Amino acid sequence: MPKIIQYRNNCIGCGICYERQPEYWRMSKKDGKATLLNAVVKKEIHMIDIAAHEAAESRSVATACPAGVIKVM
């Protein structure tokens, strides 16, 4: 099963992830960074399992991230 992985500490808050996949992302009002919804956090790395049919769009979002903090495995 594919996973979205976010290195949130390095997020610059551009919002492209939220614009392209609002079902997975929200922009924090507290610090302006993107938050991966329903993620499990381990050692400051946020992860969530996604459906296989959503992996291609998630990879596109990861590629569009200017800070490079999103990965899809």
Side-chain angles (χ1 to χ4, degrees), residues 14-38:
C14 75
I16 197 157
C17 53
Y18 173 68
E19 290 174 18
R20 295 189 56 187
Q21 269 190 323
E23 64 273 19
Y24 288 118
W25 301 96
R26 290 290 179 266
M27 298 306 293
S28 171
K29 291 181 182 177
K30 185 176 180 179
D31 64 7
K33 294 182 179 188
T35 300
L36 183 58
L37 298 176
N38 302 313

Side-chain angles (χ1 to χ4, degrees), residues 28-63:
S28 171
K29 291 181 182 177
K30 185 176 180 179
D31 64 7
K33 294 182 179 188
T35 300
L36 183 58
L37 298 176
N38 302 313
V40 173
V41 181
K42 294 181 182 176
K43 295 184 180 180
E44 300 182 12
I45 299 170
H46 299 237
M47 293 181 278
I48 188 171
D49 292 328
I50 60 171
H53 69 276
E54 295 176 326
E57 179 61 23
S58 295
R59 283 187 183 92
S60 175
V61 170
T63 301

